[in-house]
Amino acid sequence: MPDQLAYWLIIGLMMIGLYIVIAHANLIKKIIGLSIMQISVFMLYIGIAYVEGGAIPIIDANTILYSNPIPHVLILTAIVVGIATVALAMALIIRINEAFGTIEEDELAAGAGEQ
Amino acid sequence: MMDAADVAFTEAAVGAGVSTLLLLKTLALTRRYAKPQKQRNWLALSIVTITGCLLIYGTSDLPAYGSADAPAHQHLSAHYLEKSVEETGVPNVVTAILASYRGFDTMGELVVIFIAGIGVLSLISPTEKVKASSGLFLQQHTVLRIVGKMLMPLIMMFALYVQFHGDYGPGGGFQAGVIFASAMILYSILFGPEAVRAVISDRVTRLLAAFGILLYAGTGFAAMVNGGAFLDYTFLGSEQVAAQLLGILLVELGVGITVAAVMVRVFLEFDQRPVIKLPLLKLPVTNKGDR
């Protein structure tokens, strides 16, 4: 098993998210794609923090090796910020739907062209 | 799996409840069916493939997965792991960094959450009083309602435990805030948003969301008044470790209050937004007036 297999899997997940963002016209699906990309970045950070044989970074007298706590801190806050921004995006989508009657990107663009 | 207990905890609390519900709520408020895709998007597929290959090529320069001598583990994190108990008295290094070493960063994140909450309110908060969506909550499921009612105090107690035990075990303000909000959201699903409003009115959630940040910043300013730098908790008391513990406690409390208030309020706003019935198929912009 190659050393970097975990990173490759994470990049695969990231590319799935990127494809959804580019290829799908539905705005909710785009947000789901963005969330998948976001989660892959979280996993990349946590993967970098991982130390083989290390313990959870809670100091204990009998443990010497811990995983790196700094990425954990960054991602911990990013998760909660992520859900707050997703909520904001969802609110925007709801307003778009109420104003234009569609959440498909191509229909929105066609509607804008008519005006 | 990757020895990241705090992160796993947060993701479980957020992912299992709040995010799924927000997504379902948005689907209910917009439309259930997406327009079928015409064909495979080969351009997008090729862009994604090329990007992916480049990124995988880039990983060849990364240190091996799980290696202990990677550069990321050498400088600051080694210092934190060695010194945090001595300097802050908190065995959970994640909490020590979150609330103390990187306290300013965490305050910024908290402000982002607050602003996102304000954004949601200004976008979908109704201008006039509307009747809440009724009949959607589980009126007829007696078993669910009773079990939910029994679980409510336990969930809240667990949230408080997570809040105040975050110094010693996995946990802290972010997780506790989300768990507390989950309790309220469960209540809202079972008994309707009006039942939650009877417990915590909109005014209270609005004030609490701001109060959490004020508590955080106030702790920082208290340190300044005592002669230190902003958020330098050492100046909050005579003894360093006790002062650090006090500062971390206050700051985590501020985080918990703001996160819980914003999450509850955002969910309530999504919950009470009336469903606007539109024809299912395409309806291009017909009326310039309704933008």
Side-chain angles (χ1 to χ4, degrees), chain A residues 54-115:
Chain A
I56 296 169
I58 295 174
I59 300 296
D60 176 70
N62 304 319
T63 318
I64 309 160
L65 198 59
Y66 300 96
S67 57
N68 189 342
I70 299 174
H72 295 182
V73 175
L74 302 180
I75 296 312
L76 178 83
T77 53
I79 290 173
V80 184
V81 170
I83 181 67
T85 47
V86 164
L88 188 63
M90 291 299 174
L92 272 172
I93 291 175
I94 289 173
R95 285 304 296 265
I96 289 172
N97 184 53
E98 285 174 5
F100 299 103
T102 178
I103 51 169
E104 304 287 336
E105 196 179 42
D106 44 352
E107 291 174 7
L108 285 169
E114 282 169 21
Q115 284 199 328

Side-chain angles (χ1 to χ4, degrees), chain A residues 59 68-70, chain B residues 72-88 93 97 101:
Chain A
I59 300 296
N68 189 342
I70 299 174
Chain B
H73 310 317
Q74 298 311 317
H75 306 284
L76 261 180
S77 65
H79 172 86
Y80 290 153
L81 285 169
E82 273 170 30
K83 295 284 166 77
S84 76
V85 172
E86 186 187 316
E87 285 177 356
T88 65
V93 188
I97 300 174
Y101 293 113

Side-chain angles (χ1 to χ4, degrees), chain A residues 3-4 8 23 48 52 54 57 59 67-68 72 76-77 81 83 90 94-95 97-98 100-101 104 106-107 115, chain B residues 3-4 10 19 23 29-31 34-35 37 59 62 65-66 72-73 77 91 93 109 123 273 283 285 291:
Chain A
D3 282 345
Q4 318 286 7
W8 296 354
I48 287 171
E52 184 120 45
I59 300 296
S67 57
N68 189 342
H72 295 182
L76 178 83
T77 53
V81 170
I83 181 67
M90 291 299 174
I94 289 173
R95 285 304 296 265
N97 184 53
E98 285 174 5
F100 299 103
E104 304 287 336
D106 44 352
E107 291 174 7
Q115 284 199 328
Chain B
D3 301 315
T10 318
S19 63
L23 204 60
L29 285 173
T30 53
R31 50 202 55 224
K35 208 175 67 172
Q37 293 281 307
T59 58
L62 282 178
Y65 177 70
H73 310 317
S77 65
V93 188
E109 307 267 15
L123 277 171
R273 186 84 183 162
L283 180 85
V285 190
R291 288 189 74 173

Side-chain angles (χ1 to χ4, degrees), chain B residues 14-51:
Chain B
V14 171
V18 184
S19 63
T20 320
L21 281 169
L22 285 182
L23 204 60
L24 289 175
K25 216 68 212 179
T26 314
L27 281 179
L29 285 173
T30 53
R31 50 202 55 224
R32 189 166 297 179
Y33 300 102
K35 208 175 67 172
Q37 293 281 307
K38 289 175 292 278
Q39 73 266 338
R40 280 210 172 70
N41 194 332
W42 291 110
L43 179 68
L45 199 61
S46 53
I47 291 175
V48 164
T49 315
I50 293 169
T51 318

Side-chain angles (χ1 to χ4, degrees), chain B:
Chain B
M1 290 292 283
M2 290 173 173
D3 301 315
D6 282 276
V7 178
F9 205 165
T10 318
E11 183 60 48
V14 171
V18 184
S19 63
T20 320
L21 281 169
L22 285 182
L23 204 60
L24 289 175
K25 216 68 212 179
T26 314
L27 281 179
L29 285 173
T30 53
R31 50 202 55 224
R32 189 166 297 179
Y33 300 102
K35 208 175 67 172
Q37 293 281 307
K38 289 175 292 278
Q39 73 266 338
R40 280 210 172 70
N41 194 332
W42 291 110
L43 179 68
L45 199 61
S46 53
I47 291 175
V48 164
T49 315
I50 293 169
T51 318
C53 290
L54 284 175
L55 283 174
I56 285 178
Y57 173 69
T59 58
S60 58
D61 280 344
L62 282 178
Y65 177 70
S67 75
D69 49 0
H73 310 317
Q74 298 311 317
H75 306 284
L76 261 180
S77 65
H79 172 86
Y80 290 153
L81 285 169
E82 273 170 30
K83 295 284 166 77
S84 76
V85 172
E86 186 187 316
E87 285 177 356
T88 65
V90 175
N92 185 352
V93 188
V94 174
T95 303
I97 300 174
L98 181 88
S100 185
Y101 293 113
R102 294 183 64 88
F104 200 52
D105 177 40
T106 307
M107 192 173 117
E109 307 267 15
L110 196 61
V111 173
V112 173
I113 293 169
F114 181 67
I115 291 173
I118 292 177
V120 171
L121 288 197
S122 56
L123 277 171
I124 62 170
S125 189
T127 40
E128 70 268 22
K129 191 118 176 95
V130 287
K131 196 160 177 344
S133 55
S134 56
L136 279 175
F137 44 92
L138 311 166
Q139 204 72 264
Q140 69 279 31
H141 292 272
T142 317
V143 175
L144 278 184
R145 286 162 73 101
I146 291 175
V147 172
K149 217 169 191 170
M150 279 160 58
L151 281 177
M152 205 72 54
L154 297 178
I155 298 175
M156 286 185 175
M157 201 142 80
F158 183 61
L160 288 178
Y161 168 77
V162 170
Q163 170 83 48
F164 293 112
H165 201 260
D167 293 4
Y168 303 99
F174 283 99
Q175 295 94 326
V178 176
I179 293 172
F180 193 83
S182 311
M184 283 299 170
I185 288 168
L186 179 64
Y187 197 61
S188 167
I189 293 171
L190 291 173
F191 298 97
E194 288 313 308
V196 176
R197 285 222 160 76
V199 182
I200 316 179
S201 71
D202 281 352
R203 200 180 139 74
V204 174
T205 45
R206 205 170 54 206
L207 287 177
L208 279 181
F211 174 75
I213 293 183
L214 262 183
L215 184 63
Y216 202 127
T219 312
F221 282 121
M224 276 173 90
V225 168
N226 286 353
F230 186 66
L231 288 171
D232 188 353
Y233 311 136
T234 313
F235 289 86
L236 287 177
S238 48
E239 199 199 333
Q240 186 188 0
V241 168
Q244 283 282 346
L245 283 175
L246 176 68
I248 290 172
L249 183 79
L250 287 174
V251 157
E252 288 272 16
L253 196 60
V255 171
I257 290 172
T258 294
V259 170
V262 168
M263 291 292 159
V264 170
R265 186 64 190 276
V266 162
F267 181 78
L268 285 181
E269 294 301 340
F270 273 83
D271 210 17
Q272 65 151 26
R273 186 84 183 162
V275 181
I276 293 178
K277 293 276 180 227
L278 288 165
L280 255 179
L281 274 175
K282 94 177 225 177
L283 180 85
V285 190
T286 50
N287 188 355
K288 285 178 193 172
D290 68 10
R291 288 189 74 173

